[in-house]
Amino acid sequence: MASLNPLSETLGLRRAKHLLRRASFNYTKEQLEVFANLTAISALNILSSSPANKLAEPYDPLPNGSPDGFWLSSTEHPNTFSGQGRKRSYITAWWWYNALNEVSLKHKLSFFLHTCFTVGKDSGVGLSPFFYDHIRLLDFYALGNIKTLAKKITLDNGMLDYLDNTQNNKNNPNENYAREYLELFTILKGEQIGEGNYTNYTELDIQQAAKVFSGFKKKYDRNGDIDSETNLPTGYINVSQHNTDDKTFSSAFNNKVIVGRNDVAGIIEELHEFVDMVFAQPATAKAYCRKLYRYFVKSTWNETIETDIIEPLAQQLINNNFEILPVVVTLLSSEHFYDADDGDATDNTIGAIVKSPLQLLSEVCSMFEVPIPDPTSDPLRFYNNFYQRFIHQTYIKAAGMEMYNPDSVAGYPAYYQEPSFDRIWFSSNTLIGRYKLIESLIIGRNTITPNANIYVQLDTVAFAENKIEASDAADPNNLVLKIADLLFPEAIDESRRDYFKSFLIEDSNDYYWTGAWNQYLNTQSEADKTTVKTRLDALITAMVNAAEFQLM
């Protein structure tokens, strides 16, 4: 029986690695040591905090000589500034930098909400300020109420543009947003049982929903219409373009009638009544809990998991009026999450997910303390030279994931496409991007596309000196095992240890590495550092690119 009972014992290293990877983009030895000595509930209490962003807002260091700077704080019209595509990428750099530097569920859940309420930053979301407001809206509700977000998102300027609802008028209806709202964002289709009937809703419901959403318009200047709860700019309602007729829904929603209104307050009431109607259906809570399970635990499950895990979580979500955090805490502190509810080694959750390119990048940068340029003191190198040119335009694309820019409104295939799901991240098309990430960081140059300086260099010698006990670092067997303990979900056996050790000693005996390491420690000479660095570079590259590190 799968169990949502909380894990009672201290996590230990194996389970701490599992939780920290799944719940945060900040994955360090120091955090592992803290979490290993905590219970799951205590660890989740830490992860449930909502720290202030380390980086307050994005900065554009271009054009050279006269940078646009903090353009998002400008009172000028959003279309005043050029380079909107570049600026949208800088917004993802700002988001990632905060996610990388804060130990919080907020960022994992914010990205989860992006997979639920998808926009494409370069495929219709509009000018960069509207994308920024959209990301901040997801951040605001990441630890909050998903039903409230489902109401607010309809007046989000980026969403209004992305799915054309700003063009949805009473005399010229546009059903794009209404269709995706039901099919992808909330209740989902269910099995098709007839012409225009998808179990959970019908084509009639899409038409009626579009009438509810009619007259919701994008506010181009971001001034004046500010949401009182989020303090974010919103769209507005053009009453004259709203369909004021009553909206009658199908038997899927018990033939609910939403009375048409003809003023702003009344139209907002229509919206809220519609969202409440959708969220009153048990299928909506189940849809979100299945997505949460796939995002945090594993991509497939059986009827036992559906009955013992998904359905109770869905009921908890309903009982908490769609507050997302209590449900996530229940899931991530459960015996089931830590493989402690059965003895079936073929059905483990630990190591069951292929890392996304975002997760892979974040783990490498945080665990190895990659010296990323400071976005405050050196914004050109952070935003443009390192993030824009290497991460955004090269690595993340080559690895099969564009940040906040999936191919379609359905989102990233790894989160919905059967039967492969997260296995999609790891394919013949993405291998070069994934494997060359660590190589590029170690040599400080982009090896995915020709040899550009990335202004970042990972120091494997410093990692061994600072993160591994001195006696273990000098012993090639212990060094490999200690690094494996940090990097891999599960312990490695003797044959894998010996395989990785070969990158340190090549065809020599163990004492070759011990002698070389101790000589470097004694002399601190560049020549001796180069000797050990060559071997450590090879070892770290092999371990990061190993199958074990691709999993979490």
Side-chain angles (χ1 to χ4, degrees):
M1 176 178 176
S3 173
L4 284 173
N5 292 331
L7 185 75
S8 58
E9 64 261 31
T10 300
L11 288 175
L13 179 61
R14 176 175 179 262
R15 290 167 175 165
K17 289 188 290 186
H18 180 54
L19 175 60
L20 196 59
R21 279 192 167 105
R22 301 292 180 93
S24 173
F25 289 110
N26 181 292
Y27 182 80
T28 68
K29 180 186 179 184
E30 291 73 20
Q31 289 300 328
L32 287 175
E33 290 172 345
V34 170
F35 277 42
N37 291 306
L38 299 176
T39 64
I41 293 294
S42 296
L44 266 298
N45 286 337
I46 294 173
L47 288 164
S48 298
S49 66
S50 182
N53 283 335
K54 184 177 178 66
L55 190 60
E57 64 177 300
Y59 182 90
D60 186 353
L62 297 175
N64 288 324
S66 181
D68 286 337
F70 297 110
W71 83 100
L72 293 163
S73 298
S74 173
T75 58
E76 295 186 44
H77 195 283
N79 67 6
T80 301
F81 299 97
S82 61
Q84 291 292 331
R86 179 185 76 239
K87 286 176 166 60
R88 287 191 296 268
S89 76
Y90 290 173
I91 291 167
T92 66
W94 161 83
W95 182 89
W96 176 67
Y97 186 84
N98 286 322
L100 185 68
N101 284 281
E102 295 159 19
V103 185
S104 173
L105 261 167
K106 184 181 84 169
H107 304 291
K108 273 292 174 80
L109 280 169
S110 177
F111 199 81
F112 168 76
L113 293 177
H114 165 58
T115 71
C116 295
F117 299 94
T118 302
V119 303
K121 71 175 177 64
D122 297 323
S123 54
V125 78
L127 299 171
S128 58
F130 303 126
F131 175 59
Y132 179 57
D133 295 338
H134 176 82
I135 296 299
R136 290 194 294 161
L137 181 64
L138 300 184
D139 278 1
F140 187 90
Y141 287 104
L143 300 173
N145 194 288
I146 200 166
K147 183 166 75 169
T148 303
L149 172 61
K151 295 174 180 178
K152 304 282 188 181
I153 202 79
T154 301
L155 271 167
D156 172 66
N157 282 305
M159 184 64 78
L160 281 164
D161 227 13
Y162 180 63
L163 288 177
D164 307 318
N165 202 67
T166 193
Q167 301 171 23
N168 179 18
N169 303 321
K170 64 180 181 181
N171 296 322
N172 187 24
N174 187 305
E175 297 177 358
N176 285 0
Y177 179 63
R179 182 175 301 279
E180 308 305 2
Y181 193 92
L182 293 173
E183 180 179 337
L184 299 175
F185 295 174
T186 56
I187 197 169
L188 310 187
K189 277 185 175 182
E191 294 294 326
Q192 183 166 359
I193 57 176
E195 183 69 26
N197 185 340
Y198 308 108
T199 303
N200 293 335
Y201 62 86
T202 69
E203 286 293 321
L204 171 66
D205 297 316
I206 292 172
Q207 296 163 11
Q208 299 303 300
K211 293 178 182 179
V212 172
F213 296 143
S214 62
F216 287 66
K217 301 293 181 182
K218 180 177 178 178
K219 179 76 170 179
Y220 282 87
D221 63 5
R222 293 176 81 221
N223 295 321
D225 290 89
I226 304 296
D227 182 80
S228 59
E229 182 177 359
T230 65
N231 202 35
L232 294 172
T234 71
Y236 70 100
I237 294 170
N238 184 329
V239 176
S240 68
Q241 295 298 323
H242 179 70
N243 188 314
T244 58
D245 295 341
D246 293 350
K247 290 82 178 174
T248 303
F249 291 84
S250 74
S251 59
F253 296 104
N254 300 313
N255 304 113
K256 168 80 173 177
V257 177
I258 295 178
V259 176
R261 276 83 153 188
N262 59 8
D263 59 23
V264 170
I267 294 167
I268 291 294
E269 288 177 8
E270 281 191 53
L271 169 65
H272 287 195
E273 198 171 337
F274 169 76
V275 175
D276 289 344
M277 175 190 76
V278 173
F279 277 72
Q281 308 305 308
T284 301
K286 288 181 182 178
Y288 283 123
C289 288
R290 290 180 186 123
K291 287 182 177 182
L292 283 168
Y293 190 89
R294 182 167 291 123
Y295 186 78
F296 282 110
V297 185
K298 61 190 305 186
S299 60
T300 59
W301 57 91
N302 57 28
E303 290 184 6
T304 299
I305 302 303
E306 182 74 18
T307 301
D308 295 345
I309 303 297
I310 304 293
E311 290 180 3
L313 288 175
Q315 190 59 53
Q316 183 182 10
L317 191 60
I318 293 168
N319 293 345
N320 282 280
N321 194 30
F322 289 86
E323 290 289 328
I324 194 170
L325 183 59
V327 172
V328 174
V329 168
T330 295
L331 179 60
L332 300 189
S333 61
S334 69
E335 292 177 338
H336 176 69
F337 180 70
Y338 297 100
D339 285 330
D341 56 352
D342 64 49
D344 184 359
T346 67
D347 190 34
N348 284 348
T349 60
I350 296 177
I353 292 179
V354 175
K355 293 171 186 170
S356 71
L358 172 60
Q359 182 70 30
L360 189 73
L361 169 70
S362 302
E363 281 192 29
V364 169
C365 287
S366 54
M367 175 56 72
F368 291 101
E369 295 184 347
V370 174
I372 294 168
D374 187 290
T376 302
S377 63
D378 199 354
L380 183 65
R381 284 191 173 177
F382 171 71
Y383 284 105
N384 194 64
N385 298 342
F386 173 66
Y387 185 85
Q388 167 80 352
R389 294 180 180 174
F390 175 58
I391 300 302
H392 182 266
Q393 293 182 341
T394 306
Y395 159 71
I396 209 82
K397 287 185 178 182
M401 180 186 198
E402 292 193 41
M403 283 282 283
Y404 284 93
N405 197 45
D407 290 340
S408 74
V409 66
Y412 307 94
Y415 296 117
Y416 70 85
Q417 189 166 298
E418 301 182 67
S420 297
F421 293 110
D422 54 285
R423 268 57 186 170
I424 291 170
W425 294 131
F426 195 86
S427 71
S428 58
N429 295 325
T430 65
L431 281 179
I432 291 177
R434 292 178 78 97
Y435 284 173
K436 285 188 174 289
L437 171 64
I438 187 65
E439 177 185 288
S440 298
L441 292 173
I442 284 175
I443 71 170
R445 305 195 73 83
N446 184 349
T447 63
I448 302 171
T449 58
N451 204 30
N453 192 338
I454 63 174
Y455 298 94
V456 161
Q457 191 162 14
L458 189 165
D459 189 340
T460 57
V461 178
F463 173 77
E465 281 190 277
N466 298 331
K467 304 301 179 182
I468 308 298
E469 293 289 336
S471 59
D472 291 324
D475 182 324
N477 297 288
N478 289 348
L479 177 59
V480 167
L481 292 175
K482 292 298 181 180
I483 296 175
D485 280 345
L486 294 175
L487 298 187
F488 300 157
E490 303 284 13
I492 59 174
D493 60 22
E494 184 176 341
S495 66
R496 288 299 278 168
R497 182 205 65 190
D498 289 345
Y499 167 74
F500 291 122
K501 184 176 68 170
S502 69
F503 291 92
L504 285 176
I505 65 174
E506 294 188 311
D507 297 325
S508 302
N509 294 318
D510 289 0
Y511 62 76
Y512 163 79
W513 170 256
T514 303
W517 182 252
N518 287 334
Q519 182 169 327
Y520 159 68
L521 292 181
N522 290 331
T523 67
Q524 294 292 305
S525 74
E526 285 301 315
D528 289 335
K529 181 175 182 178
T530 298
T531 299
V532 296
K533 183 180 186 303
T534 300
R535 303 270 53 85
L536 282 170
D537 288 351
L539 172 66
I540 296 301
T541 299
M543 296 186 80
V544 166
N545 288 339
E548 292 94 333
F549 190 70
Q550 305 304 311
L551 301 173
M552 69 174 187

